[in-house]
């Protein structure tokens, strides 16, 4: 069990953002946290990452309970958050420690892997949104995290770039079997990527349903099976209420 | 590493489309020079004509050619270069001193709440004193020599550098700080890998403003009491009723001030080439 949450709650001033979340994520599993805006899904992810430490309850990563950022995790934000004064290559090497030569080779490998060969020396201002997010993905991957936390990583991208990067994420998963926790409000994205979808609702946010998506990968974005799952989720979210 | 760096340069050049357009770029810069110098040239011609015709008295406004003569004469004795040298020495001495003190205090105030509470109110209060008001006091304390002048200029340089650097530090994007947290940077690493580079643009603005003020203050300091320097030339011109000497000094101030600012601007362009700036069209 790589990630276990027990009774996780977080209050902001006098309102609860999330209350008593219990969740465990298996090694190599892709879990989606799905919900409407304001249901606390990003709050939950920030607590897991250790960026936010003002929660109650426990987060245990690789059987280690720790408040704070864990070595085994890495985070991909909604925006690329590249350091504008570093080139693509230096951004990707940002977290690497140790010998420059080894870091350099490793960075090159991942640059190639995310399809940015030839763009090493560009500055972030010279990149498109999709390219910048690829750099952000490479910057996280180069650290070889056991658990990758993703906070609506593709929501700012156009539909086609989004699909390309979703496929890139699945490739990564095939190659490294990285455990992923993905926050999203895009039902199609969750259905395309995740093994399990945790639906959150309400204020404070609570888990109202967990759906196992058993469709084998690669999944067909337009298939009837996924459409059925989607109908079920929409039903759960009860948007008319 | 060095080799790959030059490889990278090659990449950048290959990617930057302006490389292909270097000819029109050259045409553009000569156009810029032409446009920029058109008005001054016309003005000088009118000035010279008016002076030659005797419309204005030469003891009030000498002709441009008279000023050039004066400049050549001062330069030929070598006297002029001594004046320039001593003024440059004062400006840069004061600039460096003021900048160092500003950096030290700004780092303290920018990073530590306690340091801010300790120093910032006092610095803000001192800032509201017109800096030139210090001149008599500094002369009283340190005499009329170099140290009072350099201190004077340092005070002028200090405030813009300090204020801009503090602003730069405290307005660093929280989102980038979070990136540092994810990569578990120590406080020190956070400072020099994220906060300092992020506050560089505003620091450089502070440096340029500070240098401008440095030039202003050197004039004040040299007017108050000096036996050498471009500001001293102003006093000499006034006392000997020779406006051409004053104008030579003013022109040299303009020229050297501009060159020093241009130099800082080059450094800025070099250090901030990563910045995504607004580019104006024609």
């Amino acid at each position: 069990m790589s990630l276990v949450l027990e009774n996780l709650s977080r209050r902001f001033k006098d309102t609860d953002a999330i209350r008593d979340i219990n969740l465990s994520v298996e090694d190599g599993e892709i879990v989606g946290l799905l919900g409407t805006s304001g249901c606390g899904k990003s709050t939950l992810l920030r607590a897991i990452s250790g960026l936010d430490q003002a929660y109650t309850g426990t987060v245990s990563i690789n059987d280690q309970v720790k408040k704070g950022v864990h070595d085994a995790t890495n985070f991909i934000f909604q925006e690329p958050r590249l350091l504008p004064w570093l080139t693509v290559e230096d951004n990707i090497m940002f977290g690497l420690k140790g010998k420059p030569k080894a870091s350099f080779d490793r960075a090159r490998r991942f640059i190639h892997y995310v399809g940015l060969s030839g763009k090493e020396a560009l500055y972030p201002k010279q990149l498109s949104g999709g390219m910048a997010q690829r750099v952000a993905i490479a910057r996280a991957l180069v650290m070889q995290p056991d658990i990758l936390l993703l906070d609506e990583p593709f929501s700012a991208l156009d539909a086609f770039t989004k699909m390309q990067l979703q496929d890139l994420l699945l490739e990564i998963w095939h190659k490294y079997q990285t455990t992923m926790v993905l926050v999203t409000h895009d039902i199609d994205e969750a259905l395309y990527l995740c093994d399990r979808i945790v639906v959150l609702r309400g204020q404070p946010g609570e888990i109202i349903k967990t759906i196992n998506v058993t469709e084998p990968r690669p999944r067909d974005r337009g298939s009837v099976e996924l459409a059925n799952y989607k109908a079920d989720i929409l039903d759960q979210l009860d948007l008319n209420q | 590493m060095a080799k790959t760096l030059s490889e990278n340069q090659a990449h950048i050049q290959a990617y930057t489309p302006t490389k292909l357009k270097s000819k029109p770029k050259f045409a553009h810069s000569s156009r810029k020079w032409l446009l920029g110098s058109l008005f001054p040239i016309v003005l000088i011609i009118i000035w010279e004509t008016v002076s030659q015709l005797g419309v204005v008295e030469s003891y009030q406004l000498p002709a441009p050619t008279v000023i050039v003569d004066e400049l050549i004469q001062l330069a030929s004795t070598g006297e002029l270069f001594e004046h320039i040298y001593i003024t440059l020495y004062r400006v840069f001495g004061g600039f460096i001193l003021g900048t160092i003190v500003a950096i030290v205090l700004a780092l303290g105030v920018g990073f530590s709440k306690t340091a801010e509470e300790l120093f910032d109110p006092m610095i803000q209060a001192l800032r509201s004193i017109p800096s030139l008001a210090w001149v008599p006091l500094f002369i009283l304390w340190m005499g009329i020599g170099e140290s009072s002048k350099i201190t004077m200029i340092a005070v002028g340089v200090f405030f813009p550098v300090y204020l801009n650097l503090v602003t730069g530090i405290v307005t660093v994007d929280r989102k980038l700080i979070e990136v540092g947290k994810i990569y578990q940077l120590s406080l020190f690493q956070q400072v020099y890998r994220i906060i300092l580079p992020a506050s560089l643009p505003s620091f450089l603005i502070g440096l340029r403003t500070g240098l401008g003020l440095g030039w202003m203050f050197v004039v004040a300091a040299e007017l108050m009491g000096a036996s050498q320097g471009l500001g001293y030339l102003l006093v000499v011109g006034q006392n000997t009723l020779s406006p051409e000497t004053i104008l030579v000094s003013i022109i040299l101030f303009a020229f050297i001030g501009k060159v020093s600012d241009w130099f800082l601007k080059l450094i800025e362009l070099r250090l901030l080439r990563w910045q995504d700036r607004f580019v104006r069209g024609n």
Side-chain angles (χ1 to χ4, degrees), chain A residues 10 52 239:
Chain A
R10 172 70 164 98
D52 177 14
L239 296 171

Side-chain angles (χ1 to χ4, degrees), chain B residues 276-281:
Chain B
D276 201 359
R277 289 190 187 202
F278 167 60
V279 182
R280 279 172 303 172

Side-chain angles (χ1 to χ4, degrees), chain A residues 9-233:
Chain A
S9 303
R10 172 70 164 98
R11 281 177 80 83
F12 289 104
K13 295 212 172 102
D14 345 291
T15 47
D16 286 323
I18 45 175
R19 187 188 291 159
D20 287 333
I21 302 287
N22 290 289
L23 180 69
S24 47
V25 179
E26 308 278 344
D27 278 334
E29 196 181 13
I30 305 182
V31 172
L33 302 177
L34 183 71
T36 50
S37 64
C39 71
K41 54 194 192 300
S42 284
T43 305
L44 182 56
L45 198 71
R46 289 176 66 84
I48 300 172
S49 72
L51 281 177
D52 177 14
Q53 297 174 16
Y55 58 85
T56 56
T58 59
V59 175
S60 125
I61 290 165
N62 293 339
D63 302 319
Q64 215 186 334
V65 177
K66 182 180 170 186
K67 253 187 190 174
V69 178
H70 200 286
D71 285 330
T73 62
N74 210 297
F75 203 103
I76 295 177
F77 297 94
Q78 184 176 3
E79 327 80 25
R81 297 200 188 183
L82 304 179
L83 303 178
W85 52 88
L86 297 181
T87 59
V88 165
E89 189 165 70
D90 290 334
N91 262 295
I92 292 172
M93 298 204 306
F94 183 75
L96 290 177
K97 298 178 183 86
K99 287 204 175 106
K101 177 81 177 92
S103 303
F104 185 73
D105 290 342
R106 207 153 127 192
R108 282 279 156 134
R109 226 177 38 241
F110 281 91
I111 288 169
H112 177 71
Y113 188 61
V114 298
L116 288 173
S117 297
K119 309 267 191 281
E120 292 87 346
L122 296 185
Y123 285 99
K125 69 168 178 181
Q126 294 165 291
L127 303 176
S128 68
M131 275 154 75
Q133 198 59 304
R134 281 171 193 267
V135 177
I137 292 172
R139 179 176 68 184
L141 281 183
V142 81
M143 305 301 290
Q144 302 195 315
D146 295 338
I147 303 174
L148 196 53
L149 306 170
L150 305 105
D151 188 6
E152 303 191 15
F154 310 131
S155 65
L157 303 173
D158 66 85
F160 301 104
T161 311
K162 188 187 247 187
M163 285 188 236
Q164 282 173 352
L165 289 191
Q166 286 166 350
D167 286 327
L168 175 67
L169 205 65
L170 286 181
E171 260 179 60
I172 291 163
W173 177 79
H174 275 296
K175 189 159 177 182
Y176 299 100
Q177 294 294 309
T178 313
T179 310
M180 298 190 195
V181 180
L182 170 80
V183 162
T184 183
H185 54 227
D186 180 342
I187 302 176
D188 296 314
E189 177 170 276
L191 286 169
Y192 187 67
L193 295 175
C194 301
D195 297 303
R196 188 149 54 107
I197 298 175
V198 175
V199 183
L200 291 132
R201 200 179 70 186
Q203 268 170 331
E206 285 167 325
I207 297 177
I208 52 166
K209 182 153 190 181
T210 303
I211 294 163
N212 290 306
V213 184
T214 48
E215 284 288 301
R217 294 190 183 93
R219 292 174 188 159
D220 178 0
R221 291 178 197 271
S223 73
V224 182
E225 287 79 8
L226 291 195
N228 289 337
Y229 280 116
K230 187 172 179 177
D232 183 24
I233 292 170

Side-chain angles (χ1 to χ4, degrees), chain B residues 185-204:
Chain B
L185 299 189
S186 66
L187 185 66
F188 178 65
Q189 287 171 323
Q190 217 177 78
V191 169
Y192 87 95
R193 295 189 65 186
I194 296 179
I195 297 175
L196 287 185
S199 50
L200 190 64
S202 99
F203 174 60
L204 288 169

Side-chain angles (χ1 to χ4, degrees), chain B residues 87-101:
Chain B
T87 298
L88 278 176
Y89 166 75
R90 288 167 183 154
V91 171
F92 288 105
F95 179 68
I96 288 166
L97 180 67
T99 303
I100 290 174
V101 178

